[in-house]
Amino acid sequence: MQFMGHFLAYIGGFLLLLVHNWFNFQILTVFTVLLIAGIGMYRLALKANVDEVIAILLALIYLQFGIVAGSRHSAF
């Protein structure tokens, strides 16, 4: 499964060429990963027969826990 690592590296390189600097690349990749995680949690909640509004709230809460855990380990 080495192909997946190379494939993601080429996608990352293409995105870096597209946005022209590392700062914008980081913002784009973090946004993309969080978007995929939020959609995945939302769909998981819907599959568990949760109401749609509650599923959105669960996805938002799920995304917030990553930010809280990340800020605990930062250099602040």
Side-chain angles (χ1 to χ4, degrees), residues 12-65:
F14 175 73
L15 288 175
L16 184 58
L17 285 174
L18 195 67
V19 297
H20 300 294
N21 64 22
W22 188 258
F23 182 75
N24 290 339
F25 172 74
Q26 288 290 316
I27 291 173
L28 180 65
T29 54
V30 166
F31 178 77
T32 304
V33 167
L34 288 175
L35 181 67
I36 292 169
I39 290 171
M41 189 62 179
Y42 172 74
R43 292 188 61 171
L44 178 67
L46 288 181
K47 192 166 271 258
N49 294 325
V50 175
D51 186 39
E52 188 172 338
V53 174
I54 302 297
I56 292 171
L57 290 173
L58 286 174
L60 289 173
I61 291 169
Y62 173 73
L63 293 175
Q64 289 301 312
F65 279 122

